[in-house]
Amino acid sequence: MGKKVGTLIKEARTAKGYTQEQLAKKVKGASAADIGKAERGEKELTQEQLKAIAKATGVTQKSLLDAAKDSASAKKTTSAKKTTASKSSSGTSMKLSAAEKKLVELYRAADADTKKDAVALLKGEKKSSIIGDIFGGKSGLNDIIGNLIKDVGKDKDK
């Protein structure tokens, strides 16, 4: 997903050397407070206002309108499952199921050797029996990890 519309407005405004008040004077029906709220993501501007901002700052209308559309659709998107947003290593946004979130929490709490073994397991470089080795055969923990891995697999099948 691209930048948020508020970030684009602020970057375009400051690149032109405008204050919020100066930009607001160029946008019909917008005050300096409205510009500030839009930059912080607290207010959605109309398409006409976004077009006026684009014209005044020299950015493309498409970039602002696309960012506004992405922002609006992200607010409308809901999921029946409990999920959490996360950034992947490529910088794109993705959703994590509750089971995946738990795996991330366990991974973050692990020591370096455990992390290395867990990555090897997930890459398929080691057999699944490593779960017992990783967690030292702690009572019940193997079952929990096994169930989490099964849950992650079920989530991907859907």
Side-chain angles (χ1 to χ4, degrees), residues 20-39:
Q20 291 175 345
E21 188 173 327
Q22 289 171 323
L23 181 58
K25 287 180 182 178
K26 299 178 181 297
V27 180
K28 185 177 180 179
S31 66
D34 292 334
I35 299 296
K37 287 178 183 178
E39 289 178 354

Side-chain angles (χ1 to χ4, degrees), residues 3-32:
K3 289 185 180 181
K4 291 183 179 180
V5 68
T7 303
L8 288 175
I9 292 170
K10 185 174 184 175
E11 287 176 357
R13 176 182 60 78
T14 56
K16 266 303 212 198
Y18 292 148
T19 64
Q20 291 175 345
E21 188 173 327
Q22 289 171 323
L23 181 58
K25 287 180 182 178
K26 299 178 181 297
V27 180
K28 185 177 180 179
S31 66

Side-chain angles (χ1 to χ4, degrees), residues 27-65:
V27 180
K28 185 177 180 179
S31 66
D34 292 334
I35 299 296
K37 287 178 183 178
E39 289 178 354
R40 292 187 302 276
E42 298 169 1
K43 179 178 179 72
E44 292 181 23
L45 299 176
T46 66
Q47 283 191 353
E48 290 306 314
Q49 289 172 324
L50 291 173
K51 287 178 182 179
I53 289 171
K55 184 176 180 181
T57 59
V59 299
T60 65
Q61 291 179 14
K62 182 176 180 2
S63 67
L64 286 178
L65 293 174

